[in-house]
């Protein structure tokens, strides 16, 4: 049985944040995503000269997991060096909802806030999807 260890995930998220490609915003983000099988998938933000092509850390982590054939998750930690813990963008909330990532921990250097996906994006699939997988 895999259990959530936020300390490990937060540490991994800070580590991968070092790889962020953010020459335009200079805003560096790291994400560590825990799969049901215990594996951890990492993501950092990857910006582009054409700003709108930017990929957020959360979506890069999801992409890494999906590419490895993993689609079931327990939670994700997202870190940035902000005054208050970072708030994921709407697109990332929708992508986390796609894979039903149930718990989201948002952290800066000194504070952690934990949310359910439902709190971050209420009723994300109501009336649209009826997936059974
Ligand atoms: N960013 C993330 O990677 N995750 C978030 O939750 C918020 C924002 C990135 C996108 C862009 O590279 C930079 O942070 C500034 O918005």
């Amino acid at each position: 049985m895999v259990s959530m260890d936020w300390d490990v995930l937060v540490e991994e998220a800070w580590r991968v944040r070092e790889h962020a490609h953010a020459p335009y915003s200079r805003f560096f983000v790291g994400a560590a995503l825990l799969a049901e099988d215990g594996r951890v998938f990492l993501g950092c933000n990857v910006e582009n000269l054409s700003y709108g092509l930017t990929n957020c850390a959360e979506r890069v982590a999801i992409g890494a997991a999906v590419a490895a054939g993993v689609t079931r998750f327990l939670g994700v930690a997202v870190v940035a060096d902000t005054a208050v813990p970072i708030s994921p963008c709407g697109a990332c909330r929708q992508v986390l909802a796609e894979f039903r990532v149930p718990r989201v921990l948002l952290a800066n250097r000194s504070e952690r806030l934990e949310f359910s996906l439902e709190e971050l994006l209420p009723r994300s699939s109501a009336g649209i999807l009826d997936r059974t997988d």
Side-chain angles (χ1 to χ4, degrees):
M1 178 66 185
V2 174
S3 62
M4 293 292 314
D5 185 340
W6 287 123
D7 287 344
V8 169
L9 289 180
V10 166
E11 192 180 315
E12 290 284 289
W14 283 116
R15 195 170 62 75
V16 70
R17 177 178 172 273
E18 297 289 318
H19 298 152
H21 176 73
Y24 307 106
S25 73
R26 308 296 298 168
F27 186 77
F28 306 97
V29 186
L33 176 66
L34 178 66
E36 274 187 3
D37 66 4
R39 294 162 72 185
V40 176
F41 295 89
L42 302 177
C44 56
N45 51 330
V46 183
E47 297 186 347
N48 191 274
L49 177 61
S50 179
Y51 297 171
L53 300 182
T54 290
N55 285 310
C56 293
E58 297 91 321
R59 278 177 287 148
V60 171
I62 289 275
V66 173
V70 175
T71 55
R72 299 179 72 89
F73 307 106
L74 296 177
V76 63
V78 187
V79 305
D81 203 357
T82 40
V84 297
I86 188 169
S87 183
C89 78
C92 285
R93 294 176 198 219
Q94 185 68 42
V95 171
L96 294 175
E98 175 72 17
F99 294 97
R100 301 192 183 100
V101 180
R103 306 297 304 171
V104 181
L105 188 88
L106 307 173
N108 63 9
R109 297 276 182 205
S110 57
E111 192 182 356
R112 295 180 184 183
L113 300 174
E114 186 179 347
F115 297 92
S116 67
L117 179 64
E118 178 67 18
E119 287 175 294
L120 293 180
L121 193 66
R123 291 174 50 76
S124 58
S125 65
I128 301 173
L129 290 174
D130 189 16
R131 282 167 50 196
T132 52
D133 61 324

